[in-house]
Amino acid sequence: MGTEHSKNEERRSMVFLRKGPKLPAWEDALLAGREPKSLLKRGLRYVSLSLIMKGMTSTPDFLWGLHEVQKLNLSRNQLVVIPPSLGKLDRLVVLNLGGNCLKCLPKEIGLLRNLKVLFVNMNCLKEVPAELSLCRKLEVLSLSHNCISQLPLSFTDLTSLRKLNLSNNRFVQIPLCIFALRSLDFLHLGSNQLENIAESIQYLVNLQIFIVENNNIRSLPRSLCYISRLELLNADYNAIQTLPDDLYLLRRLRRIAWNPMDKGLHIAHNPLSRPLPEVIDGGLDVLFNYLRDKKEHS
């Protein structure tokens, strides 16, 4: 009898719990471990914490006490703000804030002196704090799919930066500070409002991948041809009519590329003047020979 009574009580309790208000997703995850630190995963390289797709509109307070975390993923939530407390996590090496509703970043992000990788793509940023330049170890930065039109001049201090994604923003010209980032090997500026590429692009001597597709660029600068390490140049969907005669100097471009993932020269969907369209149909070698001959006879 007592056993049956206990079972009934348990059923009633379960029904009550089902009818009660739902816990925030991160609290639900937290209850499984009882202790915040139990959410941390200790891998071979990093102590990490993932709160991806938890439906969060604000960050949980316990987060800022997890000082040992090195890799933090808060992506694909509905976060509107990241509090100044972010600066307490000074061991962070990787931070993913992508896919939220952030309109700004706290200036305390500059306290993350060990940060190497930062994703803030797919948010609502209109500007980037100058303090980010204090993260001198930063190597990878994605600010794509925001509303940014300029970068602070202090970005020249990010001398370790190798990969920069600024695609799908509102840049009318390439920010001058970018030309000081000599370690860059990847630069994505596709889907902006660029009308030209400054001759200063030649200072990015280590650039291997350069993407400027879907802009309003009318010509490629001659200085671009002196970046000898270029393996992928994507200028699809622009307003380009002619190509620089020295383009044949880019010997690491192996082909005329059509697949967005392929290395090579992407020059489709431009109003190229004749006979360039027919020459390009013959392949990259034919194009380079044409440009070389054209230069010699000019």
Side-chain angles (χ1 to χ4, degrees):
M1 180 75 177
T3 304
E4 186 64 29
H5 177 75
S6 297
K7 287 182 178 179
N8 289 335
E9 285 294 322
E10 185 176 347
R11 289 192 194 100
R12 280 195 291 270
S13 297
M14 290 177 68
V15 170
F16 174 76
L17 284 172
R18 280 199 294 268
K19 289 183 177 179
K22 285 188 176 181
L23 291 168
W26 64 263
E27 286 188 3
D28 191 35
L30 187 59
L31 286 175
R34 307 287 180 186
E35 168 67 31
K37 288 188 177 182
S38 68
L39 294 174
L40 297 176
K41 297 191 182 301
R42 301 181 185 275
L44 293 175
R45 294 187 63 191
Y46 300 122
V47 176
S48 62
L49 172 63
S50 178
L51 293 174
I52 182 174
M53 294 181 68
K54 297 299 182 183
M56 298 186 299
T57 56
S58 62
T59 51
D61 289 339
F62 75 80
L63 184 58
W64 315 120
L66 302 176
H67 301 294
E68 62 267 58
V69 68
Q70 295 168 288
K71 188 175 181 180
L72 177 61
N73 192 341
L74 299 176
S75 65
R76 301 176 69 181
N77 283 287
Q78 289 107 46
L79 299 176
V80 178
V81 65
I82 298 295
S85 302
L86 174 68
K88 296 179 180 180
L89 304 183
D90 57 5
R91 296 186 187 179
L92 276 180
V93 177
V94 180
L95 175 59
N96 191 342
L97 300 172
N100 281 286
C101 307
L102 302 175
K103 293 183 178 180
C104 63
L105 293 173
K107 63 181 182 180
E108 286 77 9
I109 198 168
L111 298 175
L112 307 181
R113 303 299 169 85
N114 292 300
L115 197 64
K116 290 186 177 181
V117 179
L118 174 61
F119 288 95
V120 204
N121 52 299
M122 300 183 72
N123 276 280
C124 306
L125 299 182
K126 291 186 177 180
E127 58 183 13
V128 183
E131 288 78 7
L132 182 59
S133 62
L134 297 174
C135 302
R136 303 291 171 80
K137 294 182 180 180
L138 197 62
E139 296 179 5
V140 178
L141 174 60
S142 178
L143 295 167
S144 70
H145 294 84
N146 278 285
C147 304
I148 305 168
S149 59
Q150 57 185 1
L151 295 177
L153 287 175
S154 60
F155 258 49
T156 56
D157 294 332
L158 294 176
T159 54
S160 297
L161 199 62
R162 294 187 300 108
K163 304 186 187 302
L164 177 60
N165 191 338
L166 297 173
S167 64
N168 290 273
N169 275 285
R170 297 179 180 175
F171 291 99
V172 175
Q173 60 183 13
I174 301 177
L176 291 176
C177 58
I178 288 181
F179 301 128
L181 306 179
R182 306 297 168 82
S183 296
L184 277 185
D185 58 42
F186 175 99
L187 177 57
H188 195 339
L189 280 157
S191 297
N192 278 281
Q193 299 162 26
L194 303 179
E195 294 187 356
N196 60 71
I197 300 171
E199 294 286 347
S200 301
I201 193 70
Q202 65 184 312
Y203 297 127
L204 301 182
V205 294
N206 290 301
L207 205 57
Q208 297 175 28
I209 295 177
F210 184 38
I211 303 172
V212 286
E213 63 177 349
N214 196 28
N215 279 285
N216 302 310
I217 298 168
R218 298 174 184 175
S219 63
L220 298 177
R222 182 180 180 185
S223 63
L224 182 64
C225 305
Y226 305 139
I227 306 177
S228 60
R229 298 190 181 188
L230 265 185
E231 298 178 0
L232 189 158
L233 171 57
N234 189 339
D236 286 346
Y237 294 97
N238 275 284
I240 298 171
Q241 295 184 9
T242 61
L243 296 175
D245 292 345
D246 289 333
L247 196 66
Y248 68 87
L249 296 174
L250 298 177
R251 295 183 177 87
R252 293 199 181 187
L253 296 180
R254 300 295 185 186
R255 70 186 84 175
I256 301 290
W258 304 99
N259 188 316
M261 301 302 293
D262 287 344
K263 291 183 178 180
L265 173 63
H266 298 252
I267 198 65
H269 304 285
N270 280 283
L272 295 171
S273 58
R274 296 178 73 98
L276 283 175
E278 292 80 4
V279 172
I280 286 173
D281 285 342
L284 193 64
D285 287 341
V286 174
L287 173 63
F288 281 0
N289 287 334
Y290 167 79
L291 293 173
R292 189 183 294 110
D293 291 343
K294 182 184 173 190
K295 181 182 178 181
E296 289 176 357
H297 292 91
S298 61

